[in-house]
């Protein structure tokens, strides 16, 4: 590079610097489609995680609050069995869904304020089942 004129050296250095700087940048803005796809994937993962609801006793049946409605409270409840599902993993996934829904609610404003009835769970016929609290 010592044979090149100083203006060419400066141009090469400038271009190289720009490429290095831009290659390290990542966009932190996500579109609504990326958020809903991510939210959709998280919900799919949670449904798969809690799909085996077999139990031997009611203490194995748990209820998770999942998501966030724009007016407050969860958007749904998920019933699962600790016999087949890690409580910690299920809670972490539910928290991720809740976080994504809060972001979505903030971006879209108030959308759905319909009430979601709280549920409890019992082991009935060796399956964790939900029932509404009235």
């Amino acid at each position: 590079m010592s044979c090149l004129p100083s203006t060419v050296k400066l141009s090469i250095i400038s271009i190289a610097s720009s490429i290095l700087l831009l290659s390290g940048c990542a966009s932190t803005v996500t579109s609504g489609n990326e958020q809903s796809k991510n939210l959709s994937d998280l919900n799919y993962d949670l449904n798969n995680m809690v799909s085996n609801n077999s139990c031997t006793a009611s203490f194995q049946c748990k209820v998770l609050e999942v998501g966030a409605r724009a007016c407050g409270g969860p958007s749904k409840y998920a019933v699962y069995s600790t016999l087949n599902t890690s409580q910690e993993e299920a809670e972490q996934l539910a928290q991720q869904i809740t976080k994504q829904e809060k972001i979505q609610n903030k971006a879209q404003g108030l959308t759905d304020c319909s009430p979601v009835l709280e549920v409890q769970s019992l082991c009935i016929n060796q399956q964790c089942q939900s029932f509404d609290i009235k």
Side-chain angles (χ1 to χ4, degrees), residues 6-25:
S6 63
T7 56
V8 174
K9 286 181 190 176
L10 186 58
S11 295
I12 291 172
I13 292 172
S14 177
I15 291 171
S17 297
S18 297
I19 290 171
L20 285 173
L21 286 173
L22 292 175
S23 67
C25 293

Side-chain angles (χ1 to χ4, degrees), residues 16-104:
S17 297
S18 297
I19 290 171
L20 285 173
L21 286 173
L22 292 175
S23 67
C25 293
S27 175
T28 56
V29 178
T30 56
S31 70
N33 289 342
E34 288 174 351
Q35 277 184 359
S36 41
K37 179 182 182 289
N38 193 11
L39 187 56
S40 174
D41 289 345
L42 290 171
N43 279 302
Y44 179 81
D45 291 345
L46 180 64
N47 288 338
N48 280 340
M49 183 182 289
V50 301
S51 63
N52 184 351
N53 277 342
S54 61
C55 56
T56 57
S58 289
F59 72 86
Q60 296 166 330
C61 299
K62 302 289 182 186
V63 177
L64 275 176
E65 292 184 353
V66 182
R69 290 181 306 131
C71 297
S75 58
K76 66 180 177 180
Y77 292 93
V79 173
Y80 69 99
S81 170
T82 58
L83 184 63
N84 307 298
T85 303
S86 162
Q87 185 171 352
E88 184 178 324
E89 289 177 17
E91 288 173 352
Q92 287 176 351
L93 198 48
Q95 288 172 356
Q96 290 176 350
I97 292 169
T98 301
K99 182 179 176 182
Q100 283 293 329
E101 284 191 12
K102 284 180 180 179
I103 291 168
Q104 190 174 29

Side-chain angles (χ1 to χ4, degrees), residues 96-117:
Q96 290 176 350
I97 292 169
T98 301
K99 182 179 176 182
Q100 283 293 329
E101 284 191 12
K102 284 180 180 179
I103 291 168
Q104 190 174 29
N105 288 341
K106 204 175 269 191
Q108 295 176 352
L110 292 178
T111 54
D112 183 17
C113 288
S114 55
V116 177
L117 295 177

